[in-house]
Amino acid sequence: MPAPERVPSRSLTDTEPATVLTVLAEGRLTVRGQVRGASNAVLYCTVAHEGEEVTCVYKPVAGEQPLWDFPDGTLAQREMAAYEISEATGWGLIPPTVLRDGPYGQGMCQLWIEAAPRDDGPDEAGEPPLLALVEDEEPGEGWKAVALAETGEGRTALLVHADDPRLRRLAVLDAVINNGDRKGGHLLPGPGGRLYGIDHGVTFNTEDKLRTLLWGWAGEPLTAEAVAVVERLGAELEPGTSLVTRLGELITAVEIEALRERVEGLRVSGRHPEPSGAWPSIPWPPV
């Protein structure tokens, strides 16, 4: 299948989330190409409905590679569950996502986010970098240290990420959903200063599998905003709520209980989690 060519489509704004979801769920899905380099099938598509057309990513279940440590459900279902939690936070950190049938069967269908340009120099206008390697032993102002990284020939550099409130929200979301794969390439700056996270298939495991490049706040107190979100999530995850009913169609009851425990743990500690040491804390490759 050819690599995808960008297909022009009308951009639906953030003020039209219901319209976006309707188009994604009910529209005619047309495969335009394949996103190369992914371990599972990732198809670039257009979806059209009642005069609206958007571009999207379609990940059919039939194209998933089985994972021994995620034996239940599908990656597509976990992506959908992650979207449900993102929406419950009120932060809107994951692009609009639905589960639907498509040309290759049921799969996850997610609005395509065209990443904003990066600012790679003093004369370039665009989104400032979110990750960097620096030769200093300590991060500079506006940066948080992650880990030392090998750069070849016995040299090391400090991996840092921006001290950015958008990234900090994602760090909280990842802790809640137990994201096992928060890579740099999964961070998409969008229009209007928005920041989205994508690729949430390895989430909601009952064991601690948090692997992320966003460890810069590890052990630090949660922001007041995050504390309020965690408390609200705890209430919305009580048995019998509409959120739990939707999650029950996507992940197992044991995974939902583990989700409750993680949220309660964040509420009680009031702090960002730290690496447990029982699992590699940084994904590979990191980008």
Side-chain angles (χ1 to χ4, degrees), residues 123-138:
D123 298 325
E124 298 290 334
E127 175 73 21
L130 298 173
L131 298 163
L133 285 171
V134 298
E135 296 183 356
D136 300 327
E137 295 182 358
E138 297 292 334

Side-chain angles (χ1 to χ4, degrees), residues 89-91 165 168-169 222-232:
T89 66
W91 286 332
R168 194 164 188 173
R169 290 171 175 174
L222 298 174
T223 64
E225 176 192 46
V227 169
V229 165
V230 167
E231 291 181 349
R232 187 169 68 249

Side-chain angles (χ1 to χ4, degrees), residues 96-115:
T97 306
V98 300
L99 273 180
R100 59 162 294 166
D101 286 329
Y104 299 101
Q106 188 182 62
M108 185 278 287
C109 187
Q110 186 174 84
L111 184 69
W112 180 273
I113 300 298
E114 198 67 52

Side-chain angles (χ1 to χ4, degrees), residues 27-251:
R28 177 171 48 83
L29 191 63
T30 303
V31 176
R32 302 293 183 180
Q34 183 174 4
V35 179
R36 302 294 188 181
S39 56
N40 300 286
V42 181
L43 304 177
Y44 178 75
C45 304
T46 55
V47 58
H49 180 70
E50 295 184 351
E52 302 283 5
E53 183 177 272
V54 298
T55 50
C56 64
V57 169
Y58 164 50
K59 298 182 181 180
V61 172
E64 295 180 2
Q65 300 294 323
L67 299 175
W68 67 268
D69 50 348
F70 288 84
D72 300 310
T74 66
L75 302 184
Q77 288 173 305
R78 294 176 187 281
E79 294 234 37
M80 186 68 211
Y83 174 71
E84 292 282 3
I85 295 298
S86 170
E87 290 300 287
T89 66
W91 286 332
L93 297 172
I94 298 176
T97 306
V98 300
L99 273 180
R100 59 162 294 166
D101 286 329
Y104 299 101
Q106 188 182 62
M108 185 278 287
C109 187
Q110 186 174 84
L111 184 69
W112 180 273
I113 300 298
E114 198 67 52
R118 296 298 181 105
D119 182 0
D120 295 324
D123 298 325
E124 298 290 334
E127 175 73 21
L130 298 173
L131 298 163
L133 285 171
V134 298
E135 296 183 356
D136 300 327
E137 295 182 358
E138 297 292 334
E141 184 178 356
W143 295 92
K144 305 290 285 187
V146 179
L148 286 174
E150 296 286 343
T151 59
E153 300 180 354
R155 301 176 61 185
T156 60
L158 186 65
L159 175 64
V160 297
H161 65 67
D163 188 4
D164 186 312
R166 302 171 302 170
L167 285 181
R168 194 164 188 173
R169 290 171 175 174
L170 269 173
V172 174
L173 176 67
D174 286 342
V176 168
I177 65 178
N178 197 13
N179 190 356
D181 197 32
R182 175 60 75 206
K183 297 176 179 176
H186 298 167
L187 305 172
L188 295 182
R194 295 287 298 272
L195 180 67
Y196 295 97
I198 61 170
D199 286 353
H200 298 96
V202 287
T203 49
F204 298 101
N205 202 293
T206 57
E207 299 178 8
D208 180 7
K209 292 188 179 289
L210 183 58
R211 293 195 301 176
T212 176
L213 293 181
L214 304 181
W215 285 116
W217 298 283
E220 293 187 16
L222 298 174
T223 64
E225 176 192 46
V227 169
V229 165
V230 167
E231 291 181 349
R232 187 169 68 249
L233 269 179
E236 293 194 34
L237 288 170
E238 289 291 333
T241 63
S242 59
L243 176 59
V244 169
T245 298
R246 295 194 300 275
L247 290 174
E249 299 174 352
L250 302 167
I251 58 178

